[in-house]
Every structure is written in C-alpha cells, then in structure tokens.
Amino acid sequence: MSKITIPFGPQHPALKEPENFMLVLEGEQISGATINLGYNHRGMEKAAEDRTYIQNLYLIERVCGICSHSHTTCYITNVEELAKAEVPQRALAIRTLFGELERVHSHLLWLGVAGYEMGFETLFMYTWRDREQVLDCLELLSGNRVHYSINTIGGVRRDITAEQKAEVKKRIKYLEERTQYYIKLATGEPTVLARTQDVGRLPYDVAIERGAVGPTARASGVARDVRKDDPYLIYSQLDFKVITHNTNDVFGRLVVRALELVESYKLIHQILDGLPEGPIAVKVPWKLPAGEAVNHYEAPRGEDIHYLKANGTDKPERLKVRAPTLANLQSVAYMLEGGWLADVPLVIAAIDPCMSCTDRAAVWNPEKGRTEVYSWEEMRKLGIEHYKRRGVDFGRL
Amino acid sequence: MKIPAKVFSEVITHLFKKPATTAYPFEKAKLFPNYRGRIDFDSPKCIGCQICVRVCPAKAIEIPLSAHQPPAAAPAEGQPAAAAKKKFDCIMKLDHCVFCAQCVESCPKKALLMTQDFELASVNRKELRRHYK
Ligand code: SF4
Ligand code: SF4
C-alpha cells in the first residue's frame, strides 16, 4: 500500500494547544510519527533573566496554567537553597497541600478530557462539574482558582484558618464519593474499555528507554515518583502509595490517574490533620549569593526539573525549565506507531500534554520600529478583509 | 456480556437536580472573601517609596507625584517649618496587572488595597488605565 504523510496540527480540533505531528499513514494505520514543537515559544527563560527573583515567581507560575504551583515550588526551592533559607514547617505543609489539591484538579481535568476524546461526553461534564469543588478550595485558600500565587520566597503568603480547613475537608469528602463512582464507571463501562484497551501501547522497557515520566510511566509499570524516590517538602512524613498499572495502554493511564486521586485525598486529609503550628514565612534577602541549584518536583504530569544559576545580584543569570510533557513526547511517537489514525487524539491526550497557553495580539512593525496593538474594531476589520480576499463575506454579521 | 451505558441511571437522577452552573451575569457571582481583584489606592498613606513599582512583575503600577501638592502646614511656635508631606498618585494599568497582589503585600504603609472587583473587561483601552488621585 502506498504511504502518505499527513500533518496533524498545529491547528487541529483535537489539540488544545498548537503542536505538529507528521503522521505517515498506510491506509488507516500509522507507520511513523515525528513531532515538531516550538509553536508556543514565549521566551520565558530569557525573560526571567531581567526580572528579580520575586517578580520571576509570577512569571514562572505562568509557564503552565494547570501546574502553576509545581513550577513555582520547584523554582522557589532552588532560590531558597541558594539563599540558605530555613523555610518553616508550616509553610512546607501548606505547599504540599496545594501540590496535592493541584494534582486533584489536574487529574479530574484529565479524566474529563479523556472522556471527551473517547466520545464519552457525560464523563467530561460530570468530572468537570466536580472539579469545581477543588477549584473552589483553591480559591478559598489562596484567592485565585488557577494562579494561586501561594508561594513566596521564604514561605507561603496566606495561612489556613480552622474554618477553611473544615470547608476543604467537606469538599474533599464529596469528591471522594464521586471519585469512587468514576472509578467504577471508567473500569466497568464497556464503551470505555473498548475505546482505551490496547490503544497507545508503551511497554515497560520502552518507557524506561524513552524516559517517560509521571502517570505515563507508572501505567507501564515503572514505579517512578519523585515524591517517593527523592522526597521533598513534607512527603517523607506522609503515608501514600505509588500507583502503578501494567496494561501499558491508555486504559492503564486512566486507572493510574483515577487511583492517584484517591491517594491525593488521603494526603490532603493527613496534611490538614497534622498541620504544624508556627510562622508561615521567613525573610529572605533580595540578592542571592552566586551559585547553582537543580531541583525536581512531581507535577501532576510527571517530573518537572528546574535549574537556576545566580550571580550575586537580585536577578538570576540563567533559569532552565524542563516540563514533564517534553519528557513524555518521545513516548508519544512510539505509542502512535502501529496505531490507527482515529486513536491519535486519544493517545496524545493520554499523556496529558501541556504545551503552554495563548499569546496576545501584539504585532511588531519593523517599518515603524514599534509594537502595535490592535483594538477590537481593527481586529474585526482585519478579519473581515482577510476572509473577503478568500471569497467569504462576514461583513454582514 | 457487559451491558454498556450504565451511566444512564446517573444521568436520569441528574434530571431532577438543580443545575450546577450559576446564572451569572444575571445573578451576582459568588466570590470567596479574599479573592484577588483590582488593586485600590489610598493616596494619603503613600510615601512614594516605589517599592510596589519595583516588585510588580507586570510593570502595571506607577507612583508619580501628584500635580497638586497640599500646602505645608503652618509652622508651630518656635519650631522650624516642617516640609509638607508630598502627595502621590497611582496609575494602575489593568491590562498589565496580573492580580497577584504582591504590591499590596510589599507596601510598607498599606497604601494599596486589594478589592474583590473583577468585572474589569473593556473594549476601550483607555479605560484600562486607571488614574487614582
Ligand atoms: S497586583 Fe501584581 S501585577 Fe498588579 S499591580 Fe500589584 S504587583 Fe503589579
Ligand atoms: S509601596 Fe506603598 S508607600 Fe511605597 S510607593 Fe507604593 S503605594 Fe506608596
């Protein structure tokens, strides 16, 4: 059969963020896949070099809209390590709590997206409705649903009161019940099984070879979790299991994430019950002594690595971020090969990819040598003209 | 054989439940008390130290001297004339601000206040540049 190469993305209804997959097809079957990245480069690492450490906190938070706490915590651990700051136990516990709440909201989001990609939209609607509970917890504690900004250099910014504690526990109780139902539904429903079993296979040795991380690796039987392997924050004092599964397919990734939710609820209760007393932050000087630090963190999608080089000023000399999706993309190329074209969106979604977020419409005009920002009216005019040239008239709308 | 569509019974029970969504904007949105919204400014408290400008990650805030300065207080008997306290304005660029409230936290005089005001969208860019006097 003759081979044909088709591009999947960068703009594709099944992709939430721009990224390009060149798929070599033989009929409906994929015989090769290459991944092209770089559609969402925002120059954040460079931007970090001319911001102070405290300003960078808010920049780094925006590396990802879902794991915002993971990135800042990883970054701030580097900063505190260089500053030799003793972060109070209570602050570390609150950071851990946010880490787990974030994992819950991220995994519920994924469960919804996976349901959506399978064509099981009921699951999508229900999980996203219930996800509001954990988003409310985050807003209650930090003041925002997505960019919590709870971290500050030397500790956390907001304390947790007894009422807040009770409210969070109440909402987590509700989620526990719902999650049990989703686990039953997702593992027993024949439509889910038919759609996910033996799709996007990633055997144990390939997962190791390609350096898969997070739930993607754990669903291939690789018990790899930074929280256990190299405990940070207060994870060494907490009791939890590393969930693995050995079906090596999308179904395994679903089960791993669903069971991790249960572990996270357990952790949240443990942290809230044993919240140490004491201050929530210490003062850290603006300038850091010269040095280097590397740290890793188990984000909902896998291991996140940050590298920081300080040069004695109040700004970093170099910051490097390795997000978990980058580590998992090599595995996606393998998972797609030999599969069917119709499974592509599901296989890609199964690693829970997170490319990055949108950009604003600022245009650099080299003739005038300045940046121009389009107003709403201009933007509309531009769009109408663009489509007119292609023979479609939207002017009447 | 396994029977598909087990979720149906759940779907049916949901037909009789209240919707999970709210009727915003027809109803007031429910916010938690320490939600981070627009930053407000209390001019008499500000000493013009510019710390907020330095910590702002988004270059969203400026603290210029006010155009009209209050006159110096009449010097007290036997004392040297005290300089008038300078008055400062605040320019808040809402299209730059990321609502992190770091400025509020860093201000030594509590001249910046966090409000729960979040309905700030506008198609007119000028409205996004607020000048607090
Ligand atoms: S809230 Fe944050 S972004 Fe907005 S002015 Fe204050 S420091 Fe700047
Ligand atoms: S930090 Fe406070 S006192 Fe200093 S300039 Fe800003 S608003 Fe004024």
Side-chain angles (χ1 to χ4, degrees):
Chain A
M1 195 178 280
S2 66
K3 288 187 178 180
I4 144 168
T5 309
I6 64 152
F8 186 87
Q11 303 302 333
H12 190 279
L15 294 175
K16 308 291 175 287
E17 288 160 292
E19 128 190 73
N20 168 259
F21 298 84
M22 295 306 279
L23 306 173
V24 183
L25 291 180
E26 276 179 62
E28 281 281 298
Q29 207 156 18
I30 299 162
S31 63
T34 32
I35 299 169
N36 299 309
L37 293 175
Y39 294 94
N40 240 335
H41 181 75
R42 292 170 292 170
M44 279 200 163
E45 290 172 9
K46 190 73 196 163
E49 290 167 19
D50 50 49
R51 279 169 174 77
T52 60
Y53 289 106
I54 190 96
Q55 286 175 323
N56 272 331
L57 202 55
Y58 303 102
L59 180 73
I60 298 306
E61 186 162 51
R62 282 156 181 83
V63 167
C64 176
I66 307 289
C67 347
S68 58
H69 184 71
S70 309
H71 284 287
T72 53
T73 309
C74 201
Y75 160 77
I76 221 161
T77 317
N78 281 334
V79 174
E80 283 158 1
E81 197 176 300
L82 289 176
K84 302 200 173 52
E86 279 285 332
V87 183
Q89 279 298 312
R90 190 172 173 90
L92 293 181
I94 295 178
R95 280 184 193 171
T96 317
L97 174 70
F98 271 78
E100 289 310 314
L101 285 172
E102 179 174 87
R103 197 178 315 279
V104 170
H105 109 66
S106 176
H107 281 5
L108 282 174
L109 172 124
W110 181 84
L111 211 57
V113 171
Y116 178 78
E117 300 289 4
M118 286 177 223
F120 192 0
E121 293 197 19
T122 320
L123 183 67
F124 164 65
M125 289 291 177
Y126 287 169
T127 47
W128 278 45
R129 179 199 60 193
D130 293 335
R131 178 170 164 261
E132 286 302 307
Q133 296 294 334
V134 59
L135 289 177
D136 279 351
C137 287
L138 287 163
E139 186 184 329
L140 169 78
L141 298 177
S142 74
N144 207 312
R145 286 156 50 95
V146 176
H147 290 306
Y148 334 117
S149 307
I150 191 75
N151 284 329
T152 189
I153 298 173
V156 292
R157 296 171 67 192
R158 288 184 179 184
D159 207 352
I160 294 178
T161 63
E163 296 90 74
Q164 285 173 337
K165 211 190 247 181
E167 181 69 28
V168 172
K169 287 195 117 195
K170 197 181 91 201
R171 288 175 192 257
I172 294 298
K173 269 257 148 54
Y174 166 81
L175 280 177
E176 272 170 317
E177 273 164 37
R178 293 298 303 172
T179 305
Q180 288 307 333
Y181 173 71
Y182 295 135
I183 292 175
K184 224 171 70 207
L185 185 69
T187 54
E189 174 72 36
T191 25
V192 175
L193 295 175
R195 198 69 190 83
T196 55
Q197 267 175 337
D198 273 328
V199 172
R201 289 189 65 82
L202 182 73
Y204 177 81
D205 36 330
V206 183
I208 298 258
E209 187 186 293
R210 302 213 167 199
V213 293
T216 311
R218 293 197 280 276
S220 296
V222 186
R224 194 182 266 168
D225 190 326
V226 188
R227 293 178 292 170
K228 267 278 191 275
D229 303 341
D230 180 15
Y232 53 94
L233 297 178
I234 60 162
Y235 282 111
S236 55
Q237 304 159 26
L238 300 171
D239 168 39
F240 67 101
K241 284 203 299 276
V242 175
I243 306 287
T244 57
H245 206 260
N246 53 9
T247 51
N248 310 347
D249 53 6
V250 175
F251 179 70
R253 283 159 223 149
L254 186 98
V255 173
V256 165
R257 288 199 177 86
L259 295 179
E260 273 184 18
L261 278 174
V262 180
E263 290 301 309
S264 287
Y265 299 142
K266 237 169 67 186
L267 282 171
I268 291 168
H269 285 302
Q270 282 178 39
I271 301 165
L272 282 175
D273 290 339
L275 208 57
E277 291 302 322
I280 55 162
V282 289
K283 274 231 166 344
V284 177
W286 283 58
K287 288 185 182 168
L288 289 198
E292 292 174 287
V294 185
N295 259 299
H296 54 174
Y297 179 104
E298 186 72 21
R301 284 158 187 74
E303 186 188 25
D304 179 26
I305 306 175
H306 278 232
Y307 163 81
L308 183 73
K309 184 172 181 193
N311 55 6
T313 63
D314 60 350
K315 291 174 184 145
E317 181 162 316
R318 179 80 175 94
L319 173 77
K320 171 84 193 117
V321 181
R322 208 275 339 246
T325 300
L326 191 67
N328 277 334
L329 279 174
Q330 285 308 318
S331 311
V332 173
Y334 181 90
M335 291 178 211
L336 290 175
E337 278 164 36
W340 302 95
L341 179 61
D343 290 334
V344 173
L346 184 60
V347 172
I348 296 174
I351 67 154
D352 202 358
C354 181
M355 294 304 154
S356 77
C357 310
T358 50
D359 217 316
R360 261 162 302 278
V363 181
W364 170 252
N365 187 335
E367 275 157 26
K368 292 186 195 155
R370 62 188 169 95
T371 317
E372 292 175 344
V373 177
Y374 287 148
S375 71
W376 178 255
E377 283 304 319
E378 284 166 334
M379 201 72 158
R380 187 177 138 82
K381 220 169 78 207
L382 209 72
I384 291 173
E385 271 165 17
H386 175 84
Y387 278 100
K388 227 184 215 152
R389 267 181 265 127
R390 300 180 154 207
V392 191
D393 191 4
F394 283 119
R396 298 186 315 270
L397 296 181
Chain B
M1 200 196 92
K2 282 188 169 167
I3 307 150
K6 274 204 205 90
V7 74
F8 263 168
S9 54
E10 178 83 7
V11 175
I12 306 263
T13 59
H14 277 83
L15 284 178
F16 305 101
K17 282 190 185 163
K18 242 183 40 220
T21 46
T22 59
Y24 180 79
F26 305 107
E27 248 172 41
K28 239 178 134 246
K30 192 179 122 276
L31 293 178
F32 286 101
N34 53 12
Y35 176 81
R36 299 194 303 268
R38 181 179 60 87
I39 309 298
D40 214 342
F41 180 63
D42 187 1
S43 179
K45 284 193 191 154
C46 177
I47 53 166
C49 67
Q50 308 283 335
I51 288 179
C52 53
V53 180
R54 265 170 54 209
V55 296
C56 176
K59 303 193 176 76
I61 188 166
E62 277 171 33
I63 305 281
L65 262 180
S66 304
H68 299 287
Q69 291 297 331
E77 199 76 28
Q79 301 268 321
K85 186 189 163 300
K86 288 206 184 96
K87 188 175 171 338
F88 294 90
D89 283 4
C90 170
I91 294 171
M92 180 59 79
K93 291 170 233 159
L94 292 177
D95 49 346
H96 286 213
C97 181
V98 296
F99 305 98
C100 61
Q102 181 63 45
C103 50
V104 178
E105 214 155 281
S106 297
C107 176
K109 294 289 165 192
K110 306 226 177 324
L112 291 162
L113 311 159
M114 195 180 73
T115 69
Q116 264 81 56
D117 193 1
F118 72 99
E119 289 161 317
L120 305 166
S122 166
V123 288
N124 179 4
R125 279 196 108 207
K126 288 208 186 74
E127 270 175 38
L128 296 176
R129 188 187 159 94
R130 303 267 170 107
H131 193 147
Y132 305 127
K133 291 187 181 155

